[in-house]
Amino acid sequence: MSNVALLSILALSIGIIIFCIVKLKLHPFIALIISSIFVGVTMGMPLGEIMSSIEKGVAGTLGFLALIIGFGTILGKMLEVSGGAERIGKTMLNRLGQQRADIVMMTVGFIAGIPVFVEVGFVLLIPLVFTIAKEANVPLFKVGIPLAVALMTVHCMLPPHPAALAVTGILGADVGKVILYGLIIGFPTAIISGPLWVRMWGKKLPFTQAPVDLQVSTVHNDLPGFGITLFTILLPLLIMISKTIICLWLPETSSIYELVTFLGNPITALFISVLVAYFTLGLSRGMSMDKIQQITNDCFGSIAGILLIIGAGGAFNGVLIDSGMGEGLGSILETVQINPIILAWLVAAIMHLAIGSATVAMLSAAGIVLPLLGIYPDVKPEIIVLAIGAGAIGWTHVNDSLFWLVKQYLGASIQDTFKYFTAATVLASFVSLGGILLLSQVV
């Protein structure tokens, strides 16, 4: 098949995803399956093989991520119910002072956002935004924008978030390295695009009032300790990073290497963290096992949609590979004179701009840029993972649910939401890209 035909099929497949989601208002899960079938048929795959490829792609992706998403959701719910996020925010505000309220909220978002989806994290932490803004006498924008940008950055760049972890698996990257590099790039990105961004506007930031029905009050009276809450949230990252570092010094044939690899597996790390959270944020504070079981049951309903989207993303990538398009794209990309990091970033950015879902954008981009790894062996897969995440951060606008959450909860106009929030995500995307390009020179 000619290069023009391959590129045309790829462009049409992406166009189908965009059209189905934006115009037909279909669920991204349905859109991705339709596009997968289209690629298979137009690439000449036997019909039976198309469905087998879709089945294999879904199974290969969700076989790993279903457990990750489940454990991560439990960890986030325990953080919410216990008041752990509120404890982190109040403690940091007391220590850093009200004049640094924007930095406090950005940091809380970066830490507390690790186990929860971006939209869930924003709704979970918005009462803290209202409280801190009132105590510090600053606009909601000054603390709300840093929170939203930090949550978006963590969502796109830092495993164990599902999309970041899925892309890590698709590209065969090391989870520990992605986390380590993601922290190196993500935290400065959140600072620059959050607190520094809103400070640049100074007194121009509008004083808005969130709708009365959204001004919920924090109801936690007995909050967990700061240290134990922070330890519980960061535990899965600490385990996975430790595994990567320790394995650098151990022979692969040693029994200790096997044990460390087992404990550092994302599934094991999150499972351990959930058990720890049951105790530190639950049992040790007087919560019964019946209550913990209820919390666990209640948190699973919200993840069905994301599981289907990620599974369908795996199906799309599977068909791209099995149909031969991946190999064909590799040959085409080999002739294109463009930095592979920039290309990965650009594909994800365009997809997010068009579709409005960072998760779908990242999964689609991963399948498209996968052939780059064979063409540019000197570029680490971990760097490409971060580049895809950086591209997906930006251009959060009216087709993204986070845009509307920010607008509604901060009582903003659409124009102001574009001006202060969408622009902040674009800034974050470019800042993180610059950091990734620099990091690629030394790793």
Side-chain angles (χ1 to χ4, degrees):
M1 187 174 290
S2 69
N3 291 346
V4 173
L6 277 176
L7 291 175
S8 297
I9 292 173
L10 177 62
L12 286 171
S13 68
I14 295 173
I16 287 172
I17 296 173
I18 296 171
F19 179 77
C20 288
I21 295 174
V22 176
K23 294 295 184 182
L24 300 184
K25 307 300 181 183
L26 290 176
H27 193 278
F29 160 68
I30 301 295
L32 283 164
I33 295 298
I34 291 173
S35 186
S36 300
I37 295 173
F38 169 79
V39 171
V41 171
T42 53
M43 288 294 295
M45 291 180 68
L47 296 180
E49 289 186 16
I50 293 175
M51 300 316 297
S52 296
S53 181
I54 289 175
E55 180 182 349
K56 183 175 65 175
V58 172
T61 302
L62 288 185
F64 172 66
L65 284 174
L67 292 172
I68 297 294
I69 295 172
F71 290 141
T73 304
I74 296 171
L75 190 58
K77 194 67 176 179
M78 290 299 298
L79 175 67
E80 174 189 352
V81 172
S82 67
E86 184 182 350
R87 165 55 68 203
I88 293 174
K90 287 188 173 181
T91 300
M92 292 189 63
L93 187 65
N94 290 335
R95 294 181 181 179
L96 296 180
Q98 294 181 351
Q99 70 275 17
R100 298 185 181 90
D102 48 1
I103 296 177
V104 169
M105 209 62 238
M106 180 276 299
T107 307
V108 171
F110 201 91
I111 296 172
I114 290 171
V116 298
F117 299 114
V118 57
E119 293 88 355
V120 175
F122 190 79
V123 174
L124 164 65
L125 295 170
I126 197 64
L128 199 55
V129 169
F130 297 147
T131 300
I132 290 179
K134 183 177 181 179
E135 290 182 3
N137 192 32
V138 296
L140 290 175
F141 274 91
K142 187 167 185 179
V143 287
I145 298 299
L147 168 65
V149 172
L151 288 169
M152 192 66 178
T153 301
V154 173
H155 180 83
C156 293
M157 298 184 69
L158 206 63
H161 263 287
L165 199 56
V167 173
T168 299
I170 291 169
L171 300 185
D174 181 89
V175 176
K177 290 181 180 179
V178 173
I179 293 173
L180 183 60
Y181 299 160
L183 290 171
I184 292 172
I185 299 299
F187 199 74
T189 295
I191 292 175
I192 294 170
S193 308
L196 295 184
W197 168 253
V198 293
R199 288 186 183 190
M200 183 191 76
W201 290 100
K203 295 182 179 179
K204 294 181 180 179
L205 286 174
F207 264 90
T208 58
Q209 292 292 329
V212 175
D213 59 332
L214 295 181
Q215 294 187 22
V216 291
S217 301
T218 305
V219 296
H220 302 102
N221 296 315
D222 179 26
L223 300 176
F226 175 77
I228 196 65
T229 302
L230 193 63
F231 169 77
T232 304
I233 298 172
L234 296 180
L235 183 58
L237 302 190
L238 294 174
I239 293 175
M240 286 185 274
I241 292 175
S242 297
K243 172 256 180 183
T244 297
I245 295 174
I246 293 173
C247 285
L248 293 175
W249 306 97
L250 291 175
E252 294 186 12
T253 55
S254 69
S255 57
I256 298 178
Y257 180 93
E258 184 177 352
L259 175 62
V260 171
T261 302
F262 168 75
L263 294 175
N265 183 285
I267 294 175
T268 313
L270 275 164
F271 178 55
I272 293 171
S273 301
V274 166
L275 296 180
V276 170
Y278 277 164
F279 177 76
T280 59
L281 301 179
L283 294 174
S284 67
R285 305 183 63 248
M287 194 178 293
S288 67
M289 281 304 303
D290 286 338
K291 178 63 174 177
I292 290 176
Q293 184 183 45
Q294 179 186 343
I295 291 171
T296 303
N297 287 333
D298 291 346
C299 72
F300 289 143
S302 62
I303 66 175
I306 194 68
L307 281 171
L308 289 173
I309 291 173
I310 291 177
F316 181 67
N317 294 329
V319 173
L320 287 180
I321 295 171
D322 293 344
S323 67
M325 179 174 284
E327 184 178 349
L329 288 175
S331 300
I332 295 172
L333 293 173
E334 193 171 5
T335 65
V336 177
Q337 299 301 315
I338 183 173
N339 187 308
I341 298 172
I342 295 177
L343 180 60
W345 173 85
L346 185 61
V347 171
I350 293 173
M351 290 296 290
H352 187 207
L353 174 66
I355 295 174
S357 169
T359 299
V360 176
M362 292 173 67
L363 292 169
S364 302
I368 294 170
V369 304
L370 179 61
L372 289 173
L373 299 183
I375 300 169
Y376 299 96
D378 293 335
V379 179
K380 304 296 184 183
E382 295 80 15
I383 294 295
I384 299 297
V385 171
L386 293 183
I388 290 173
I393 294 173
W395 310 105
T396 305
H397 63 103
V398 293
N399 59 0
D400 192 312
S401 59
L402 183 60
F403 177 92
W404 295 105
L405 283 175
V406 170
K407 176 192 177 299
Q408 290 300 108
Y409 276 103
L410 300 187
S413 65
I414 291 180
Q415 180 181 356
D416 282 343
T417 309
F418 269 115
K419 184 177 181 180
Y420 300 111
F421 175 59
T422 302
T425 65
V426 174
L427 175 62
S429 185
F430 278 96
V431 169
S432 55
L433 173 63
I436 293 165
L437 289 171
L438 290 176
L439 183 64
S440 68
Q441 301 301 311
V442 296
V443 299

